[in-house]
Amino acid sequence: MSLHGHLYERRLVWRHRVGLIFEWLCRLTTLFTLAILAVLLLSIGWQAIGWLDWGFLTRSNSHIAEEAGIMSGLMGSLWLLGLTAIMAVPLGVGAAVYLEEYAKPTRLTKFIQLNISNLAGVPSIVYGILGFTVFVRMFGLRDRPERLICSLGFAEISFELPLGRVVLSGACTLTLLSLPVVIIAAQEALRSVPASLRHASLALGATKWQTIRYQVLPAALPGILTGVILSLSRAIGETAPIAVLGAATQLSYAPGSIEG
């Protein structure tokens, strides 16, 4: 074997060893992180023995610690998360599909794209102030309330304008907070789909919408779902907007509707 071949073989062996060491370091880091999480959960569970019971999940707020529960907060969080997902996901994915697949690169679309990127970095407290002004007070129209009825075919939803301090106001505010993240993540997922997939579908006679629906969206679905999960996680974890909307409101019962 020549000297060049011998050096190449030694380098190859060294690379394999480095790769194996790095792999085990990643495994140990993951196991160490999971061990810390397990210790924290076991510690919390051990301290909760004797205090945590079924009533803690089914009772509402109380000034007596032994009688307090999390039902109100749990149901309110579920209502907020569900309504936010219903509003943010279709709007965000639809906007991303339009901007990536249909809109031409004009000054208007570039301006919209710039604003979406800027909105993704706006502090959540700003969205809370905006939601309080727009959804809770409707720009000061509190003296002229109106009843609005929306028919969905199978059911009717009625609510009063201005909305006031209700679940729907919080969901609309969190939707504004989540939309930029959903749009940007969906756009990145759509850009990752190879152009050859679109060209092949169009070459076989499919329309542009059929190509997007049956080829592009399924291929981009993992990235879109990742963005949706991250945006909803941020929305449900943000306390500043909800504190602005309902700082002076406390419910001792679980919300039962969007007006709860």
Side-chain angles (χ1 to χ4, degrees):
M1 182 181 295
S2 64
L3 179 62
H4 179 74
H6 183 68
L7 291 175
Y8 177 78
E9 184 178 355
R10 291 183 59 184
R11 290 178 181 176
L12 187 61
V13 172
W14 171 251
R15 289 177 182 177
H16 282 298
R17 290 179 179 176
V18 171
L20 186 61
I21 293 173
F22 181 75
E23 179 184 353
W24 277 102
L25 285 176
C26 292
R27 290 183 178 180
L28 292 175
T29 304
T30 305
L31 292 175
F32 182 71
T33 305
L34 293 176
I36 293 177
L37 178 61
V39 170
L40 291 176
L41 293 177
L42 290 175
S43 175
I44 295 173
W46 179 261
Q47 295 177 10
I49 294 177
W51 294 92
L52 185 63
D53 55 6
W54 185 250
F56 179 72
L57 298 176
T58 57
R59 290 192 295 262
S60 298
N61 300 334
S62 176
H63 63 280
I64 303 174
E66 291 78 4
E67 299 179 1
I70 62 171
M71 175 57 71
S72 302
L74 183 62
M75 292 301 298
S77 298
L78 292 177
W79 271 100
L80 282 175
L81 184 62
L83 291 173
T84 302
I86 290 173
M87 292 185 286
V89 175
L91 289 175
V93 176
V97 170
Y98 173 76
L99 290 174
E100 286 298 318
E101 303 295 336
Y102 290 99
K104 297 180 179 179
T106 61
R107 291 185 178 179
L108 179 61
T109 56
K110 291 180 180 179
F111 178 75
I112 294 174
Q113 188 66 53
L114 177 64
N115 280 273
I116 292 174
S117 301
N118 292 334
L119 288 174
V122 173
S124 58
I125 188 66
V126 177
Y127 286 103
I129 298 172
L130 175 64
F132 182 78
T133 304
V134 177
F135 303 118
V136 176
R137 294 192 172 183
M138 289 288 176
F139 300 102
L141 301 179
R142 298 180 62 88
D143 299 331
R144 301 187 298 275
E146 296 183 5
R147 199 72 182 177
L148 184 64
I149 300 177
C150 295
S151 178
L152 302 178
F154 57 90
E156 287 187 353
I157 300 177
S158 63
F159 47 88
E160 192 175 84
L161 296 178
L163 298 176
R165 300 177 186 270
V166 295
V167 174
L168 186 58
S169 298
C172 291
T173 304
L174 294 180
T175 299
L176 295 180
L177 177 69
S178 306
L179 266 178
V181 180
V182 175
I183 294 174
I184 293 175
Q187 282 186 283
E188 292 298 331
L190 292 172
R191 289 171 189 164
S192 66
V193 177
S196 58
L197 190 65
R198 297 178 175 87
H199 297 162
S201 178
L202 294 173
L204 292 174
T207 63
K208 190 168 186 176
W209 167 240
Q210 290 174 335
T211 300
I212 295 172
R213 180 180 178 183
Y214 296 108
Q215 302 297 329
V216 178
L217 284 178
L221 187 59
I224 294 175
L225 290 179
T226 301
V228 168
I229 293 172
L230 291 176
S231 63
L232 293 181
S233 300
R234 181 195 175 191
I236 201 64
E238 290 287 356
T239 56
I242 305 303
V244 173
L245 295 179
T249 303
Q250 178 182 352
L251 296 179
S252 59
Y253 57 89
S257 65
I258 59 176
E259 296 183 290

